[in-house]
Amino acid sequence: GVSARPFLPELSGSDTAGSIGRLRDAAAVCQGCDLHGPATQTVFGVGNPNAKLVLVGEQPGDREDLAGEPFVGPAGQLLRETLAEVGLDPAELYITNSVKHFKFKPTGKRRLHVKPAAREVAACRPWLEAELDVIRPKMVVALGATAAGVLLGPGFRLLKSRGQVQRSDHAKWTIATYHPSAILRVPNEQTRETMRRALLEDLHFAAEHYR
Ligand code: URA
Ligand code: SF4
């Protein structure tokens, strides 16, 4: 079946930076599912390989696909503004995605984001698991339903349990919150502001507890 598994390197030793580097190099040539074909490049996680707090998004967008870095587009701007508001330095954290290639539909000159299919999320999951195995953070924040599903299981309901501390195999504490892209897509300004405040509150909680 489709899986990144055959592309994962053997890791040994306690050099977390070296291990993340080996994962990154191997992921660059991953063909574990069909998404590598149309995309520009693998967008692997960035930041501190010894981070105590890891943020997990869905998949790279148009800008991330071109830059080769997660959260550098509009969603990234909202995320970075919110991190700054709660006093979190992105360089201290590790930021990654559930799926490492951009999935899109070409429409004229724009490439429109398409939600990854369950089989693609499952195929890519070994990379995220390997990142978390190496980093062993104290806290993981799932940004949006895709990351929440990967980290907390398909039964997790974001609207019901957003911001509540969950047990998971990946970290002592895992919480799920709104995805910044989901916030930006909301047309109603009041609803958008309510969601932005919820994201702020959840990242504030993370900032207070991740050490
Ligand atoms: N949305 C994501 O989930 N990840 C990114 O890197 C950018 C946008
Ligand atoms: Fe590999 Fe993930 Fe890219 Fe699919 S999306 S090719 S599993 S890195």
Side-chain angles (χ1 to χ4, degrees):
V2 289
S3 176
R5 191 80 57 194
F7 297 90
L8 261 77
E10 291 271 357
L11 298 176
S12 60
S14 54
D15 172 13
T16 52
S19 294
I20 291 292
R22 292 198 56 210
L23 289 173
R24 163 181 281 269
D25 291 349
V29 293
C30 181
Q31 300 186 3
C33 76
D34 288 342
L35 295 185
H36 69 90
T40 307
Q41 59 191 317
T42 306
V43 179
F44 207 66
V46 293
N48 178 3
N50 300 306
K52 296 205 180 317
L53 174 58
V54 172
L55 307 184
V56 183
E58 184 193 63
Q59 65 171 165
D62 179 75
R63 296 272 297 277
E64 289 79 16
D65 170 79
L66 296 173
E69 229 189 275
F71 287 104
V72 294
Q77 193 186 327
L78 174 56
L79 179 63
R80 281 159 210 281
E81 282 168 12
T82 313
L83 290 174
E85 275 187 75
V86 301
L88 283 172
D89 176 2
E92 220 179 285
L93 319 179
Y94 186 85
I95 303 179
T96 192
N97 283 304
S98 306
V99 174
K100 268 49 173 177
H101 276 104
F102 177 38
K103 184 178 186 181
F104 62 94
K105 187 169 63 181
T107 59
K109 45 190 152 183
R110 289 189 59 216
R111 303 186 300 171
L112 280 189
H113 168 272
V114 176
K115 206 169 124 62
R119 71 175 181 287
E120 291 152 353
V121 176
C124 209
R125 180 187 184 115
W127 292 120
L128 177 60
E129 282 179 348
E131 287 170 294
L132 293 172
D133 274 353
V134 168
I135 298 168
R136 302 193 154 279
K138 178 168 173 196
M139 184 177 295
V140 178
V141 176
L143 300 167
T146 298
V150 171
L151 294 164
L152 298 167
F156 182 81
R157 293 287 165 266
L158 183 61
L159 295 180
K160 197 178 127 222
S161 305
R162 193 217 97 237
Q164 296 171 13
V165 174
Q166 309 288 328
R167 291 235 145 255
S168 81
D169 301 338
H170 309 283
K172 187 172 167 212
W173 288 347
T174 299
I175 62 171
T177 189
Y178 295 130
H179 194 294
S181 300
I183 299 175
L184 293 174
R185 273 199 305 271
V186 170
N188 181 280
E189 196 186 326
Q190 214 172 315
T191 310
R192 200 166 59 238
E193 183 54 20
T194 303
M195 290 172 75
R196 201 194 63 83
R197 290 205 158 273
L199 174 66
L200 183 69
E201 212 176 275
D202 295 340
L203 290 178
H204 176 73
F205 178 85
E208 298 275 288
H209 292 89
Y210 79 103
R211 286 173 209 278

